[in-house]
Amino acid sequence: MNLQIEKTALVLIDLQNGIIGRNSAPHSPEEIIERSRQLAQSFTEKGGFVVLVRVSFLDGKDSLNPTTDAPASAAMAFPDGWDVLVPELAEIKGTYTMTKRQWSAFHGTDLDLQLRRRGIDTIVLGGVSTGIGVDTTARDAFQLGYDQVFVEDIMGATDKTMHDYVCQTIFPRMGRIRSTAEVISSL
């Protein structure tokens, strides 16, 4: 696999203080953060586009609130700083940071616009949670016609079963599964 850096973006989902520690199976938060940092550094050094996506809410009224069997996260009390990107990624120069208010990084944001204006047709995707933010973003990217590379070792979920199901069953139908080392060597 060879990736054209000028047509490829690295999109990292919800690697922020209040989420990364809760969603870390099968890879630890430390592994996910370090590998994500390595990928982001490789992309920016080669002139690639890196998008750091965080989820946050202004007052909770801006979050989705449909009737569900599981309680909505917006109803939870979030501690100060929960929506701040981890420092290992926030300090990388030349990245684009965006805020989403729901699971997908595409819905209600300018992500598609930013990618298309740059001529990007391929997304390298990772983050947490594998079966929520990453999966929902991937499904939207697929519907929008983007080629996708899923970096399995920079993703985590609430449990290994969820992570494995999405990586083994869903993602292969929408793109290619690779490791951090494989993506770095393909740039």
Side-chain angles (χ1 to χ4, degrees):
M1 172 181 81
N2 288 326
L3 296 172
Q4 296 178 338
I5 195 73
E6 67 278 359
K7 295 180 142 242
T8 305
L10 174 62
V11 179
L12 298 172
I13 307 294
D14 299 343
L15 297 179
Q16 61 193 66
N17 292 334
I19 294 180
I20 184 67
R22 295 185 307 168
N23 301 302
S24 60
H27 307 289
S28 73
E30 296 79 17
E31 292 169 325
I32 293 169
I33 292 167
E34 176 54 25
R35 290 180 192 130
S36 295
R37 187 199 60 74
Q38 290 171 8
L39 263 178
Q41 203 70 49
S42 292
F43 265 78
T44 56
E45 287 171 1
K46 293 176 175 26
F49 189 53
V50 176
V51 181
L52 304 176
V53 181
R54 70 184 194 116
V55 63
S56 186
F57 306 105
L58 180 63
D59 58 7
K61 294 177 184 175
D62 55 346
S63 67
L64 296 173
N65 196 17
T67 303
T68 63
D69 286 336
S73 60
M76 297 178 358
F78 295 108
D80 286 342
W82 77 276
D83 56 353
V84 175
L85 293 168
V86 295
E88 295 87 345
L89 295 172
E91 64 193 25
I92 297 174
K93 299 212 183 310
T95 61
Y96 179 70
T97 300
M98 58 169 279
T99 301
K100 64 185 177 83
R101 311 250 183 242
Q102 61 287 318
W103 291 0
S104 174
F106 281 99
H107 183 78
T109 72
D110 72 339
L111 180 57
D112 186 48
L113 176 72
Q114 292 295 331
L115 298 174
R116 292 192 190 281
R117 286 190 176 171
R118 289 171 169 77
I120 292 169
D121 61 13
T122 303
I123 299 171
V124 175
L125 193 58
V128 295
S129 175
T130 309
I132 298 176
V134 180
D135 181 28
T136 307
T137 299
R139 289 171 190 253
D140 285 350
F142 180 76
Q143 297 291 352
L144 292 166
Y146 288 99
D147 289 334
Q148 297 182 84
V149 177
F150 303 101
V151 189
E152 186 278 333
D153 62 1
I154 63 166
M155 292 184 212
T158 52
D159 62 62
K160 185 178 181 322
T161 302
M162 178 188 280
H163 173 85
D164 289 347
Y165 174 77
V166 175
C167 288
Q168 294 168 9
T169 307
I170 304 300
F171 288 162
R173 299 184 71 170
M174 294 187 288
R176 298 167 281 177
I177 312 292
R178 298 294 186 268
S179 68
T180 299
E182 289 172 315
V183 172
I184 290 173
S185 71
S186 71
L187 296 176

